[in-house]
Amino acid sequence: MSAAASPARVLDGAAVAAEIRDALRPRIEAVRRAAGRPPTLGLLLAGSDPGSEVYVRNKMRQGEGLGIGTALERLPASAAFEEALRVVEAFNADPDIDGILVQSPLPAGMGDDAERRIFEAIEPSKDVDGFHPENVGRLVQQTSTLAPCTPSGVMELLDRSGVALNGRQAVVIGRSDIVGKPMAMLLLHRHATVTICHSRTVDLPRVASQADVLVAAVGRPAFVTVEFVKPGATVVDVGTNTLTDRDQVASIFGVGSKKLAAFDRRGRVLSGDVHPGVAGVAGAITPVPGGVGPLTIAMLLSNTVQAAEQRLRWRA
Ligand code: NAP
């Protein structure tokens, strides 16, 4: 397999996310005028997971920056599942809340199936994460209005970057409910021929290397190496892995790399699921950070506005 002549085009997720946010501004203003209040997102943060704190803060800050209202309910890590359920039920009943987001993970003490139960308790029309079974069914049947944010962000990025899907081979590595499965469904709806791979897939590099569009949602740093990639393919890296081991950073990114210098300053760096060497083979690639991550939040805000518009239409 020969490498592509020039390095891959970088698909700038941050720029596309900014375009999506800008396009929301007039819609937010229209909801505010019609409803007498802005589109509003209710958030539940249970426990004090540092990653969750950052995610929730970013979601609120970006929402508020656009004029979206936010209502945050916090619960301690020791809270019972029923307390989380009461918060969701209050959001469901509140006519001034359009979207509901329950930040995962929920505290371990709430039980193994707490997330599934809480997602099922969210009123489907307010389910801006798109995880409720009704919305999953609608996604499959292509009648969905609230699709999961990360895969719909990937679709926006592919579309706005002019990546063709119709009739192309797409391979998704990962079959989670929040990324892999909905990603595959969205690509299928756009007439790609889709293969879903996972930990039991035999000869994964061979399967992946058939792809014109390869999506990696594995959660393993630099897992997708050059052998996985057809020259010229578009590679979407969903993975966000925090590296805290200097040797691992040096072995993935190289001695003298910018990432290693960043590691030496901060003691941690982010790595995607795609090895940096892939940039020499792919036709286009998403960076980490600055690729899929910013789009996920932009689509959450987009879903919140959409949910608010839908409620206004029902009221009319
Ligand atoms: P997940 O629920 O852990 O799923 C990982 C998937 O990868 C599973 O389907 C698993 O297969 C598969 N997998 C694991 N090891 C594999 C291997 N050796 N070979 C082939 N497949 C393998 O993770 P997720 O929630 O989908 O997230 C995936 C990554 O995306 C994570 O790094 C996460 O942090 C990141 N993420 C980023 C964003 C964003 O906004 N950028 C949003 C969500 C997630 P099995 O099903 O067989 O176990």
Side-chain angles (χ1 to χ4, degrees), residues 69-312:
T70 58
L72 174 64
E73 293 287 343
R74 299 192 67 128
L75 290 173
S78 58
F81 174 77
E82 286 66 29
E83 292 176 73
L85 195 56
R86 274 198 292 277
V87 171
V88 165
E89 285 168 352
F91 282 151
N92 282 345
D94 187 339
D96 290 338
I97 294 286
D98 300 298
I100 301 171
L101 180 136
V102 176
Q103 183 62 45
S104 32
L106 287 174
M110 288 192 184
D112 285 345
D113 60 350
E115 284 186 12
R116 180 187 58 76
R117 290 170 67 203
I118 209 86
F119 293 145
E120 289 186 10
I122 294 173
E123 156 61 35
S125 65
K126 297 188 179 188
D127 170 34
V128 286
D129 263 333
F131 297 159
H132 188 282
E134 181 176 319
N135 286 322
V136 175
R138 287 186 176 281
L139 176 69
V140 173
Q141 294 185 336
Q142 235 180 320
T143 55
S144 152
T145 47
L146 297 173
C149 302
T150 300
S152 38
V154 171
M155 296 307 287
E156 288 284 343
L157 182 61
L158 294 174
D159 281 346
R160 291 172 192 244
S161 307
V163 175
L165 296 171
N166 195 333
R168 301 297 170 96
Q169 298 282 341
V171 173
V172 180
I173 312 178
R175 57 174 165 179
S176 71
D177 290 338
I178 64 166
V179 188
K181 284 185 208 160
M183 184 77 254
M185 205 48 65
L186 291 172
L187 290 164
L188 180 66
H189 293 336
R190 296 293 301 283
H191 311 298
T193 300
V194 184
T195 304
I196 307 176
C197 300
H198 46 77
S199 63
R200 315 288 172 89
T201 299
V202 175
D203 201 355
L204 185 53
R206 186 190 56 77
V207 179
S209 64
Q210 305 300 306
D212 301 303
V213 176
L214 177 62
V215 181
V218 189
R220 289 174 179 248
F223 178 80
V224 172
T225 51
V226 167
E227 306 79 68
F228 286 63
V229 179
K230 174 156 99 178
T234 296
V235 179
V236 177
D237 190 352
V238 179
T240 43
N241 310 292
T242 302
L243 304 186
T244 53
D245 175 355
R246 191 178 192 279
D247 289 344
Q248 191 183 19
V249 178
S251 92
I252 293 174
F253 294 98
V255 176
S257 63
K258 283 185 185 164
K259 281 275 187 186
L260 193 57
F263 179 89
D264 287 337
R265 287 195 303 279
R266 294 187 228 124
R268 50 173 46 210
V269 284
L270 268 191
S271 162
D273 288 343
V274 176
H275 192 278
V278 167
V281 177
I285 195 164
T286 63
V288 176
V292 175
L295 289 159
T296 298
I297 299 187
M299 296 314 292
L300 170 73
L301 304 178
S302 173
N303 277 353
T304 302
V305 174
Q306 200 156 317
E309 291 169 340
Q310 182 65 57
R311 290 166 62 74
L312 277 173

Side-chain angles (χ1 to χ4, degrees), residues 28-45:
I28 291 167
E29 182 52 27
V31 169
R32 207 188 55 73
R33 274 200 309 273
R37 59 161 182 81
T40 301
L41 177 65
L43 303 101
L44 169 59
L45 174 57

